Amino acid sequence: MVRGPAVKDRFLVMDRKTGEAWWQYGARQESAEQARQKRMTPERLRELTARLSEWDVL
């Protein structure tokens, strides 16, 4: 999934299988290391755009 910066400070996430719910907090409350781990690499972006192109989405 590709998206822009978060607008809200937190959002509710729910696991459909288990029914468990938790709050996911925004970038202001995460460490630089957590942000780095979430960042998409150029290689992954190429992989995803190639797949979308194969599906005639792009």
Side-chain angles (χ1 to χ4, degrees):
M1 173 184 283
V2 179
R3 70 167 182 82
V7 177
K8 296 185 176 188
D9 289 333
R10 67 181 186 164
F11 60 93
L12 190 60
V13 179
M14 185 168 197
D15 185 317
R16 289 183 187 184
K17 291 182 182 178
T18 66
E20 180 184 3
W22 64 92
W23 285 104
Q24 181 73 44
Y25 292 90
R28 281 184 245 163
Q29 296 164 339
E30 67 187 8
S31 69
E33 176 60 20
Q34 289 171 318
R36 186 193 65 73
Q37 290 175 353
K38 292 179 183 179
R39 200 166 293 126
M40 184 181 299
T41 64
E43 180 181 321
R44 179 68 174 145
L45 178 60
R46 284 190 294 275
E47 179 184 313
L48 291 173
T49 54
R51 186 173 298 168
L52 291 172
S53 185
E54 289 172 11
W55 295 341
D56 292 324
V57 174
L58 293 180

